[in-house]
Amino acid sequence: MNGRSFVKMHGLGNDFVVIDARKEAFTPTEDQSRLIADRRFGIGCDQFIVIEKSQNPDANAFMRIKNADGSEVGACGNATRCIASILMSETGQDTVTVETLAGLLQVSKEENGLITANMGPALLDWKDIPLSEERDTLNTGIKLPPLRNPVCVNMGNPHAVFFVEDAEAIELEALGPRLEHHPLFPERANISVASLIGENHIRLRVFERGVGITSACGSGACAAAVAAARRGLTDRQVQVDLDGGPLYIHWQENGTVLMTGPVSKAFEGHIAPELLQSPH
């Protein structure tokens, strides 16, 4: 197997290895995805992204998302902005459409250089999270002290948001893996701890399923904003401060969620052929 060119990008430190497979198909196995994502033996990333041709005439491209553990997921907000920036540079357009397993996402460039992605509707029914049994998603009732009673939201992937006094004080490294695999989450879940640090201002830390704690999680920021508004803690427009910096979230009256933030390109490179060989 030949090597492949890649670009390393990130949104607020949530980092991605991106391969363009629109001209030359590339379908990585789980083992290959894990190796590329490995920060010691591979290149290193939170998610491995493959840009493919879209079968939908309304989309500029399809974005395939692999977590660091090799599992495939439907949504990644920071990656959506990164891939959209590539497509905008190619087309010269300020607005593009990215197809994902979670649907078509409209993305636009702002005057200040930031990029806004319409992440689609926040899904709030227990079947849409999905949960393994009927629960009120506003008060789900899960408890793992000191965390209790999260709000659950699906933003193309399942999220459980726990509101706490001080997000910094929570041992998320220990609690995240246990809650990710809670029996209530048949597809696992992203686990967030959120605290209010001002009016319409949230501090958020996220343990992403299949990855671990990340510098930023775009869909997690969207889920936290929706959860806070549902609880009556904030309005529908908030600033969400993640480890890597702020995202600006607007849960619109029509139910869709806008996420605005920066994108950065770190470097370009070429994956050695041996890194793409199956270890089996």
Side-chain angles (χ1 to χ4, degrees):
M1 185 182 293
N2 294 326
R4 296 293 298 249
S5 297
F6 72 93
V7 60
K8 182 75 181 288
M9 304 188 75
H10 71 88
L12 299 176
N14 182 196
D15 61 339
F16 317 103
V17 170
V18 181
I19 286 183
D20 190 339
R22 286 174 290 177
K23 292 182 179 178
E24 183 183 351
F26 180 62
T27 306
T29 65
E30 283 198 6
D31 286 337
Q32 289 171 335
S33 298
R34 280 194 293 269
L35 184 56
I36 288 169
D38 191 290
R39 297 188 185 277
R40 288 185 174 84
F41 296 98
I43 301 167
C45 61
D46 292 327
Q47 278 89 18
F48 174 37
I49 309 297
V50 181
I51 305 175
E52 302 175 2
K53 286 183 179 178
S54 175
Q55 302 303 311
N56 190 312
D58 295 327
N60 293 80
F62 178 85
M63 177 177 71
R64 191 171 301 281
I65 311 162
K66 295 293 192 82
N67 277 336
D69 69 350
S71 61
E72 187 166 358
V73 293
C76 178
N78 288 313
T80 299
R81 296 199 317 280
C82 287
I83 299 312
S85 72
I86 293 175
L87 300 175
M88 288 174 184
S89 296
E90 288 178 358
T91 62
Q93 299 172 342
D94 288 339
T95 301
V96 295
T97 301
V98 180
E99 184 184 11
T100 70
L101 291 178
L104 296 179
L105 305 179
Q106 307 290 331
V107 191
S108 57
K109 186 183 297 183
E110 304 295 334
E111 291 182 359
N112 55 12
L114 300 180
I115 291 179
T116 295
N118 186 326
M119 295 297 291
L123 303 179
L124 308 177
D125 188 84
W126 71 273
K127 293 178 182 177
D128 294 327
I129 303 302
L131 303 180
S132 57
E133 64 183 50
E134 184 172 359
R135 296 278 182 99
D136 174 8
T137 60
L138 184 57
N139 297 281
T140 311
I142 297 172
K143 182 190 298 184
L144 182 60
L147 302 181
R148 55 180 52 82
N149 200 27
V151 182
C152 288
V153 182
N154 185 300
M155 285 303 315
N157 46 19
H159 290 268
V161 183
F162 293 86
F163 288 96
V164 297
E165 192 68 31
D166 181 7
E168 308 287 352
I170 301 300
E171 295 183 6
L172 191 56
E173 299 89 342
L175 299 171
R178 296 170 63 187
L179 289 163
E180 172 194 0
H181 292 277
H182 191 283
L184 196 61
F185 303 126
E187 297 181 5
R188 300 185 291 165
N190 299 281
I191 307 300
S192 297
V193 290
S195 51
L196 291 176
I197 57 175
E199 185 177 359
N200 297 319
H201 197 175
I202 297 170
R203 173 68 174 107
L204 184 71
R205 298 172 62 218
V206 184
F207 184 97
E208 293 194 47
R209 62 175 181 169
V211 181
I213 293 177
T214 54
S215 294
C217 177
S219 62
C222 294
V226 171
R230 289 186 72 200
R231 282 266 173 98
L233 302 174
T234 65
D235 297 332
R236 297 174 79 101
Q237 293 191 60
V238 298
Q239 176 177 324
V240 180
D241 289 357
L242 299 126
D243 289 349
L247 290 172
Y248 303 92
I249 311 298
H250 181 193
W251 184 24
Q252 300 183 106
E253 294 294 338
N254 66 3
T256 60
V257 183
L258 301 180
M259 173 195 56
T260 302
V263 302
S264 298
K265 182 167 78 170
F267 58 88
E268 297 179 5
H270 195 77
I271 302 177
E274 54 266 30
L275 196 65
L276 298 177
Q277 299 296 330
S278 173
H280 298 301

